[in-house]
Amino acid sequence: MNRKLSGDEPQMKVYKNFVLTFLLYSLFILAALAIHYLLSPTPFQYVRSIICFGLAPALILYANFKQLWFRSSLRWVIKVSRRPVLSSTIFVVGALASFDLAFHLPLSGIVHLLLLGFGSIIYWAPLLLQCSFIQLQNYMRRFLYLLLTSLLFVLYHEASFYFSGREQSEGFLYTGVMIMLIQLFSLIMEWADAEKDTDPLNVKGYFKSVSKN
């Protein structure tokens, strides 16, 4: 009986994780629908939100689960994820500026969505990418990266609204702010949980040699 229960535990854990992930993404889609219905009824803007804040992070989480980062063809994503300044630049150019620039080109919508997907994966990689053969970015670097990119995200849209007078991407802006705030809260909770494991009784050993007796 005990063997059966222990064998079922991993399956139950995977099942619960799948259900939780499914529920979270369902809530995201419902929230994004509500935001775009109220602020930006254009379907194209809703597609942008789904790609940037739904599909891109889901692909990275799937790659983590399947350990796809061992493939040599995907190692470049890991290298870029170790450079937060480069990741931020690619995100701003690919996911944000391309919306204004791509419409001067043929097939502008398709070009922008391709650049948006690429820039979104690069954006989420420093925050979500996990692989056994690399060390995770420390919490402070991830916190500063998320803070910086969130600020750039908001400032770019505000500047775009001011100079162009167009507010078509207002729904995309508020959907992004919602997801970024949730990610920031999640990172802070994870950070706090990791910090509470520090044992204050052993801190003395870092500064003063402990007697061998």
Side-chain angles (χ1 to χ4, degrees):
M1 183 67 179
N2 291 335
R3 289 182 181 177
K4 185 176 181 181
L5 289 175
S6 61
D8 288 342
E9 284 179 1
Q11 295 179 359
M12 289 299 296
K13 186 176 181 180
V14 171
Y15 175 76
K16 288 179 180 179
N17 289 341
F18 171 78
V19 172
L20 179 61
T21 303
F22 177 78
L23 290 175
L24 288 175
Y25 274 98
S26 298
L27 288 174
F28 159 69
I29 291 174
L30 290 174
L33 273 172
I35 291 173
H36 283 270
Y37 177 77
L38 295 172
L39 300 176
S40 181
T42 308
F44 184 73
Q45 298 298 331
Y46 176 69
V47 173
R48 293 180 70 207
S49 293
I50 289 294
I51 291 175
C52 187
F53 303 109
L55 184 59
L59 287 174
I60 293 180
L61 293 175
Y62 177 79
N64 292 344
F65 179 72
K66 293 293 186 179
Q67 299 182 355
L68 299 182
W69 306 118
F70 283 92
R71 298 182 179 181
S72 58
S73 59
L74 296 177
R75 295 293 176 87
W76 64 271
V77 181
I78 298 175
K79 292 180 180 179
V80 175
S81 72
R82 314 303 288 178
R83 298 179 171 182
V85 175
L86 179 60
S87 299
S88 303
T89 304
I90 293 175
F91 172 66
V92 171
V93 174
L96 304 179
S98 66
F99 177 70
D100 298 311
L101 299 176
F103 284 92
H104 299 287
L105 302 172
L107 302 174
S108 58
I110 297 175
V111 171
H112 168 65
L113 291 181
L114 291 174
L115 293 174
L116 173 68
F118 176 77
S120 301
I121 290 175
I122 297 301
Y123 166 71
W124 285 107
L127 297 171
L128 300 178
L129 192 149
Q130 293 183 7
C131 188
S132 58
F133 60 84
I134 62 169
Q135 185 177 3
L136 287 176
Q137 299 275 5
N138 62 56
Y139 288 105
M140 179 58 73
R141 292 192 67 176
R142 279 186 280 170
F143 176 79
L144 291 176
Y145 171 77
L146 182 56
L147 210 60
L148 172 65
T149 51
S150 300
L151 185 62
L152 289 173
F153 182 79
V154 173
L155 290 178
Y156 179 87
H157 280 92
E158 291 299 328
S160 179
F161 296 159
Y162 179 78
F163 288 108
S164 66
R166 297 178 300 172
E167 298 184 354
Q168 304 151 332
S169 57
E170 196 173 10
F172 180 74
L173 167 63
Y174 285 103
T175 302
V177 170
M178 176 188 72
I179 296 301
M180 288 173 174
L181 286 175
I182 292 173
Q183 181 64 31
L184 181 62
F185 177 76
S186 175
L187 179 61
I188 292 173
M189 293 297 292
E190 183 183 344
W191 192 355
D193 187 61
E195 289 292 327
K196 75 179 182 181
D197 291 336
T198 303
D199 186 0
L201 297 176
N202 295 329
V203 171
K204 182 179 178 181
Y206 291 104
F207 302 97
K208 183 178 178 181
S209 298
V210 179
S211 174
K212 293 182 179 180
N213 297 328

